[in-house]
Amino acid sequence: MSDAKLFGQLSNAASIQDYTRAIDSITPEESASVASVQTLGAMTSMKMALSCPIFAGSDTLMEETSCAWARVTGSWAHQTSSADASGYSLNSVTYRLGAQKEIVDNWFLGATAGITQSWLSDVNGLSDTGGVAGDIAVSLKHQVGPWLFAASG
């Protein structure tokens, strides 16, 4: 937004509500929600790189295996406006593929890649945005009897 347009919005405010609306239109609080969602998405990516356990036999012991998988997830968040916070709606859909392969006895290499499309808008119609984010994570696991040692990043 240009300085002239910003000054025009602020100088034409006829009430406290108009002034608050003008300020909200240039500093939308809901934009901070995008950073939170991206952080959670990165954590999900690292967690999903670790996902190929199966039950061993008829008990509850888990073992690793080679596998390939696909997953589609969606999310919706809505915050209503209050005196302290702006309201917003955030929607997203993620497409994710992953695989894991036993590279030598009891050593597994895994990987996942995902792409997320998201849409964010404030409840007052003052701002909206959309975006696409991608992520990749790898994992290395070692199974020793009932113990599993794993790392992802």
Side-chain angles (χ1 to χ4, degrees), residues 25-110:
S25 72
I26 59 172
T27 59
E29 294 172 340
E30 69 274 358
S31 297
S33 301
V34 174
S36 299
V37 169
Q38 289 175 342
T39 301
L40 293 173
M43 291 183 342
T44 298
S45 179
M46 289 188 290
K47 181 177 84 173
M48 295 305 295
L50 298 170
S51 63
C52 279
I54 60 168
F55 287 105
S58 61
D59 58 12
T60 59
L61 182 64
M62 302 293 282
E63 288 183 348
E64 291 300 313
T65 185
S66 295
C67 73
W69 53 269
R71 180 177 174 179
V72 177
T73 57
S75 66
W76 173 80
H78 180 78
Q79 175 178 303
T80 56
S81 296
S82 70
D84 299 324
S86 297
Y88 66 89
S89 290
L90 174 64
N91 302 297
S92 67
V93 62
T94 300
Y95 304 93
R96 181 170 301 285
L97 299 173
Q100 177 174 286
K101 179 78 175 152
E102 186 171 17
I103 51 177
V104 294
D105 285 344
N106 297 315
W107 283 90
F108 298 86
L109 182 63

